[in-house]
Amino acid sequence: MPAIELDHVSKVYRRHGRRRRFATLKSALLTGSLVRHLRPDESFSALRDVSVSVPKGACFGVIGRNGSGKSTLLKLVAGITKPTSGSVRVHGRVSALIELGAGFHPEISGRENVFINGIMLGLSRREISDRFDEIVEFAELEDFIDAPVKTYSSGMYMRLGFAVAINVDPDILLVDEVLAVGDAGFSLKCLDKFAEFKRRGKTILLVTHGLSMVERFCDEAVWLEAGESRTIGDPKRVVQRYLTDVEQTEDKHLAAQDAKAQQTPVMQAPADPQALSDASETQGADDAKPPADMFLAKEGRWGSGAVRIQEVTLEGPGGPAHVFHTGDPMTIRMQVSAAHPVDDFAFGVSIFSPDGVCCYGTNTDIEEMRSKSLQGDGEVVFAIERLDLVEGTYKLDVAVHKRDGFSYDYHRLLYTFRVKSRTKDAGIYRPRHVWRFTDNVRFKEPDSRTDD
Amino acid sequence: MLFNLRQLFRHRALIQILVARDLKARYRGSVLGFFWSFVNPLLLLLVYSLVFTIIFPRAEMLGADVHPYAVFLFCGLLPWTWFASSLSDGASVLILNGNLIKKVMFPVEILPMVSVLSNMVHFLFGLPILFGFLWFYGISLRPIELVWFPLVLAVQFILTLGLAMVLASLTVHFRDIKDLLANVLTLWFFASPIIYPMSLVEGRGPSFMGLPPVGKVLMNCNPFAHLAISYQEILFYDGPFGHWKWLLALAVGGTAMFVLGYWLFDRLRDSFVEEV
C-alpha cells in the first residue's frame, strides 16, 4: 500500500479581482450578496490532474520552478488544504517541515514553545518530556532554551522548529526547502537525520530547488510545471529534463533581451575622445590602459556605417543558442555588408564577464591578418572550439573597424550568452585539467554524500 | 459536524496548552505580571464606580436597590469583560494565527475556543476578588442559589463560543467586522443592565395593546441582559433565584447559537486557508 497516493488531483485557487476587494461588509449587506460575493471572480489552477504514488519507505522529490504547484502539493498531502477534485490518500502519521516554528510565541521561552509546538504536531506532553533533551541538543540551543524566543536569531528559531518537527517521529515526512536552515554544520545534521529516516523505512516527500540533492537522495521524482506533472520517475532523468527545459527558457529570455538591446541603440558618431579619456580617468585606470572604450561598459552601437554588421548569431553544438555548457563549441556568426568597396578593415570579438572584466578579446589585425578588400554581403565566422569559461552570464562585443581603430560598426555588449556548469568552480576561465594522485592519497566514491 | 465536534474534544491537550500560552504571554514582561489578572478588573471597577457614584450620581439609580454600588457593578462587569474580550479576541484570532492555518495541519476550530477559554480564566481569577467584596460588605450567599452559578457560567460559555465562531469566520472575509465590533460592544455594554439595574428599565417606554413596555421587550431580546441579571440575582440580591426560566431559555438559545456558529465555521473552514 503506497504511503501517499494522489489520484488525478486538481487544486483551484480563487482569485478575487478588483470588484471583490472593494466588496466589504457594507456592500455585501447592502446588496444582500454576502454569499454570492464569497464566490470567486476568476480561478487559478495550482495543480492540474496530478497523479502521484509514493510507496512506503521511498524518498520522493518534487522539483519545478517557483509557482509550479510544489508547495500546494505538499499542503494537500499535509491536509492543510483539500483538493478541488481528485483524491489524496495518506497512510501514516505526517509531519510537515513546511513552516518551521509556526506557532512559536515570541514572548515565551524556547522550552515552553517546544511543548506547545510538539503538542501542535501531535505529540503528547509525556512524549515531549522524554525527547526534550534530544530536541534541545539537536537544535544546539542548550544555553538559550529558557530565553524568550523573540531573542533568538532566525537561525536559532529555525533550528528549534526543525528539531521539534523531526522529533515527532512521523511515518511520512514532508520537507519544503528547509535545508537552507542554519549553517553548513546544521545542514549536514539535517541530512544525516533524513538518511536515518530513510534507513528506518520512513517515507519522505521532498520539495526542493537543490537538484543535486534530489538526484542523490530520492528514489523517484516529479517535475511540476504550471501545475501539471511533466515528468515522473527516475530522479536523474527528471532532473535532466527539468534542467534542459530551464535552459531553453533562459535561452528564449536571453534572445528576447538581446533583441531589445539591439533595437534601442542609435547610430552615434565615434565616441568623443574627450569623454573617453574622462571616463577612463574616473575609472582610475593605471598606466597600462586597454583601449579607453573598454571601460565604457554600456551597451550601444556606433560607427560610420561604411561596413555594417547586420546580424549576429551564436551557435552551440545543436544550432542557434544562448545557453552553453562549459567546454561546448561556440560559433559566432556575423552577417556583414559593405555598400562600397573597403580595403582597410578588421573584425573583432571580445567576451566580457557580467562585472565588466574582459575575458578575451581579439581582432583580425592583432592576429596579423591584413585586410585586402570587402564588398557587398558576406559572412564572418568566429569559431571557438571549446568554451572553457566557468558558469555565468557573459556579454559579447563584435565590431568591424579600421586597422587604426576607427569604427565602422561597433556593437557594444549587445549579445548575451550564459554558460552552465555542473561544477561550481571559481574564476572566469577553466583550463582543461586532470588531477593525479599517488596511491596513498585516496578519495571516497564520488557518490558518497560526505564529500559534498 | 459531529466528527468535528469529537475532534474538538480530542484536541483538549492542545487547547489547554494554547490557553496557558495566551495567559503566560499576555503579561510577560510587565512588572506586576500575573497580578494584572486581579488588578485589571479592580481598576475597571474603580473607574466605573467613580463615574457613576461621584461624577454622575443618578437619582433613579440611588433609589433603586443597588447598594453597595461597587459590588452590584462588579457582578455584571466581570462577566461582561469575559464576554466582550472573548468576542473581540475571537474576531481576530484567525487572522492573527494565519501562519498556523496556512502552514501547519492545525485544527482551526479550537482557536475561537482558546480565545473564549483564556478570557474565562481571567474571569475566574476575578471571582475571588468579587467574593472578597461580597464578604467585605456582608452580603451573604445562599448555597442553594450558588448551585445555579456553574450553569450560568456554562450558558455564558456556550453562547460566547457560538458568537465568537460566527465572528471569527466572518472576519476572515470581512475585515470590517473588527472595527465595527468594538463600537457594537460599547453600545451593547450600555444596553445591558450592568451599570444600572433591570428594574430601571422595567417601566420605560410606551406600552401598547397590553404588551409590556418597549424597553423591557428590547432588554429581553438581549442575551447578555439575562446573564447579567442571573449573576446579580445569584450573587448580589437576596431572595430566591427568580430568573431561572430565562436562563434555561438562554441555555437553549445559546446552544442554538453555538450550533449555528459551528455550522458556519465548518462551512467556511476551507476558505480560511486561502483568505487569511
Side-chain angles (χ1 to χ4, degrees):
Chain A
M1 183 167 60
I4 304 169
E5 220 178 343
L6 272 73
D7 189 25
H8 298 284
V9 167
S10 298
K11 175 73 187 175
V12 179
Y13 283 116
R14 30 207 217 171
R15 212 160 36 176
H16 298 295
R18 266 165 63 94
R19 189 166 63 85
R20 168 62 175 77
R21 250 182 284 136
F22 290 110
T24 50
L25 184 61
K26 191 189 79 193
S27 58
L29 289 176
L30 284 179
T31 57
S33 60
L34 197 142
V35 178
R36 201 175 57 223
H37 269 208
L38 291 179
R39 290 199 193 118
D41 291 344
E42 47 183 319
S43 53
F44 166 76
S45 296
L47 283 179
R48 277 180 228 162
D49 197 29
V50 172
S51 296
V52 165
S53 166
V54 182
K56 200 171 167 300
C59 178
F60 193 90
V62 183
I63 58 175
R65 293 185 173 81
N66 288 332
S68 58
K70 303 187 296 293
S71 295
T72 302
L73 184 92
L74 220 55
K75 282 186 183 176
L76 285 170
V77 175
I80 297 167
T81 52
K82 294 198 179 94
T84 313
S85 67
S87 71
V88 177
R89 277 186 296 275
V90 177
H91 306 284
R93 180 158 158 180
V94 177
S95 179
L97 299 180
I98 296 180
E99 177 89 350
L100 294 172
F104 276 0
H105 197 294
E107 292 287 344
I108 62 182
S109 72
R111 181 185 300 275
E112 285 161 311
N113 270 312
V114 166
F115 277 88
I116 294 169
N117 211 233
I119 285 178
M120 249 178 224
L121 296 175
L123 290 175
S124 70
R125 200 179 278 269
R126 196 202 183 97
E127 283 173 303
I128 303 168
S129 304
D130 292 345
R131 295 170 200 188
F132 187 79
D133 291 336
E134 203 181 322
I135 291 172
V136 176
E137 195 195 313
F138 190 84
E140 301 167 17
L141 284 173
E142 290 91 342
D143 297 338
F144 304 101
I145 196 65
D146 286 310
V149 165
K150 67 176 175 189
T151 61
Y152 285 17
S153 74
S154 52
M156 289 157 79
Y157 192 94
M158 292 293 172
R159 264 166 18 218
L160 192 61
F162 187 90
V164 178
I166 202 98
N167 274 294
V168 167
D169 195 24
D171 305 309
I172 300 165
L173 188 69
L174 310 179
V175 186
D176 190 357
E177 208 54 85
V178 285
L179 281 179
V181 171
D183 47 30
F186 191 75
S187 296
L188 268 182
K189 248 163 73 174
C190 297
L191 283 174
D192 280 342
K193 201 77 187 179
F194 287 160
E196 184 196 320
F197 262 80
K198 235 181 128 175
R199 264 202 315 280
R200 281 163 49 200
K202 311 275 183 176
T203 313
I204 301 175
L205 188 64
L206 179 73
V207 167
T208 182
H209 291 288
L211 299 176
S212 59
M213 179 148 162
V214 171
E215 283 180 324
R216 215 168 48 212
F217 219 75
C218 294
D219 305 305
E220 226 182 315
V222 64
W223 161 29
L224 290 181
E225 179 71 32
E228 288 172 32
S229 86
R230 286 281 285 271
T231 316
I232 188 162
D234 175 56
K236 287 218 165 56
R237 192 170 56 94
V238 173
V239 167
Q240 204 45 55
R241 290 232 183 140
Y242 172 58
L243 279 179
T244 315
D245 187 73
V246 167
E247 278 167 22
Q248 279 164 5
T249 314
E250 267 179 66
D251 207 280
K252 275 185 211 137
H253 179 73
L254 289 176
Q257 197 180 315
D258 281 357
K260 215 171 137 199
Q262 284 147 36
Q263 269 171 13
T264 34
V266 277
M267 283 294 246
Q268 299 163 338
D272 178 6
Q274 185 58 42
L276 289 180
S277 63
D278 282 356
S280 60
E281 265 159 38
T282 51
Q283 299 275 348
D286 52 307
D287 294 332
K289 274 185 221 160
D293 59 350
M294 286 296 172
F295 279 114
L296 287 179
K298 195 166 177 293
E299 294 122 54
R301 184 175 172 185
W302 60 81
S304 68
V307 183
R308 288 194 182 209
I309 300 172
Q310 307 285 24
E311 205 189 331
V312 176
T313 34
L314 303 182
E315 282 174 19
H322 287 80
V323 178
F324 300 83
H325 292 270
T326 299
D328 276 357
M330 175 164 128
T331 308
I332 302 168
R333 219 176 265 279
M334 292 176 263
Q335 310 302 324
V336 295
S337 78
H340 305 287
V342 185
D343 56 6
D344 181 3
F345 58 88
F347 296 99
V349 169
S350 6
I351 297 171
F352 288 86
S353 76
D355 44 0
V357 175
C358 178
C359 309
Y360 183 69
T362 186
N363 66 38
T364 50
D365 191 46
I366 295 171
E367 296 189 25
E368 293 177 345
M369 288 179 244
R370 284 164 48 230
S371 59
K372 194 168 164 197
S373 71
L374 167 63
Q375 191 185 4
D377 296 342
E379 189 182 63
V380 176
V381 174
F382 183 78
I384 300 169
E385 260 175 58
R386 289 181 54 92
L387 192 63
D388 284 320
L389 292 170
V390 304
E391 187 163 284
T393 307
Y394 296 86
K395 294 248 181 189
L396 208 58
D397 276 14
V398 295
V400 52
H401 48 77
K402 277 192 184 170
R403 287 162 65 191
D404 65 5
F406 174 82
S407 302
Y408 291 129
D409 193 0
Y410 202 108
H411 295 215
R412 177 84 177 135
L413 305 177
L414 290 186
Y415 309 94
T416 316
F417 62 95
R418 191 161 291 169
V419 176
K420 294 242 154 196
S421 169
R422 302 223 75 179
T423 33
K424 306 289 170 222
D425 36 12
I428 297 170
Y429 167 58
R430 175 195 286 157
R432 293 185 69 178
H433 60 270
V434 284
W435 293 86
R436 285 198 193 85
F437 308 101
T438 53
D439 283 348
N440 53 341
V441 183
R442 285 188 195 162
F443 291 88
K444 289 191 182 169
E445 289 297 303
D447 222 356
S448 152
R449 45 152 289 266
T450 34
D451 62 350
D452 194 276
Chain B
M1 181 163 162
L2 264 178
F3 170 76
N4 282 322
L5 274 177
R6 267 214 311 279
Q7 294 285 98
L8 212 58
F9 180 72
R10 212 168 61 87
H11 291 297
R12 61 192 183 284
L14 185 53
I15 294 174
Q16 193 190 340
I17 202 156
L18 285 177
V19 170
R21 179 188 84 168
D22 262 18
L23 297 177
K24 272 180 198 157
R26 180 168 294 188
Y27 299 122
R28 193 51 64 93
S30 56
V31 178
L32 288 184
F34 217 74
F35 273 102
W36 276 112
S37 289
F38 303 99
V39 178
N40 257 336
L42 276 179
L43 288 179
L44 194 63
L45 182 67
L46 192 70
V47 170
Y48 279 108
S49 306
L50 203 69
V51 170
F52 294 107
T53 56
I54 295 170
I55 303 176
F56 299 119
R58 296 292 304 265
E60 303 99 305
M61 204 101 100
L62 296 176
D65 182 17
V66 292
H67 299 292
Y69 184 69
V71 184
F72 169 80
L73 186 60
F74 211 5
C75 289
L77 200 55
L78 207 56
W80 171 260
T81 310
W82 170 23
F83 182 71
S85 316
S86 298
L87 294 192
S88 56
D89 287 0
S92 50
V93 74
L94 293 189
I95 296 162
L96 289 179
N97 289 288
N99 227 6
L100 287 182
I101 299 171
K102 275 191 286 195
K103 306 284 170 97
V104 196
M105 291 158 280
F106 188 83
V108 197
E109 62 270 31
I110 71 169
L111 286 173
M113 191 160 194
V114 168
S115 301
V116 177
L117 278 174
S118 54
N119 281 298
M120 184 169 103
V121 173
H122 284 288
F123 168 75
L124 295 177
F125 280 128
L127 280 183
I129 305 177
L130 175 59
F131 284 112
F133 267 80
L134 291 171
W135 174 79
F136 182 77
Y137 284 102
I139 296 168
S140 56
L141 296 165
R142 289 153 190 262
I144 301 289
E145 276 186 27
L146 275 183
V147 172
W148 288 97
F149 189 74
L151 182 68
V152 185
L153 275 188
V155 171
Q156 180 171 357
F157 177 77
I158 196 102
L159 173 75
T160 314
L161 184 58
L163 284 169
M165 287 196 130
V166 171
L167 288 171
S169 36
L170 288 182
T171 310
V172 172
H173 292 280
F174 307 101
R175 309 281 162 122
D176 323 43
I177 290 176
K178 258 193 309 187
D179 297 292
L180 194 60
L181 183 66
N183 297 299
V184 167
L185 284 175
T186 311
L187 177 66
W188 201 338
F189 173 73
F190 288 109
S192 302
I194 301 167
I195 53 171
Y196 52 85
M198 181 67 173
S199 59
L200 267 189
V201 187
E202 304 267 64
R204 286 294 167 88
S207 72
F208 41 85
M209 296 193 295
L211 288 170
V214 177
K216 185 164 186 186
V217 173
L218 284 179
M219 196 59 90
N220 281 338
C221 297
N222 173 359
F224 194 80
H226 300 296
L227 287 171
I229 294 167
S230 299
Y231 284 110
Q232 288 156 3
E233 284 202 10
I234 292 171
L235 300 171
F236 187 72
Y237 292 117
D238 287 339
F241 178 51
H243 212 66
W244 62 273
K245 279 184 194 152
W246 279 107
L247 186 68
L248 291 184
L250 192 60
V252 175
T255 312
M257 188 71 229
F258 172 74
V259 171
L260 173 75
Y262 203 92
W263 174 80
L264 186 70
F265 194 91
D266 217 35
R267 262 199 74 119
L268 295 176
R269 176 193 300 268
D270 292 334
S271 68
F272 296 156
V273 184
E274 287 153 41
E275 294 287 337
V276 153

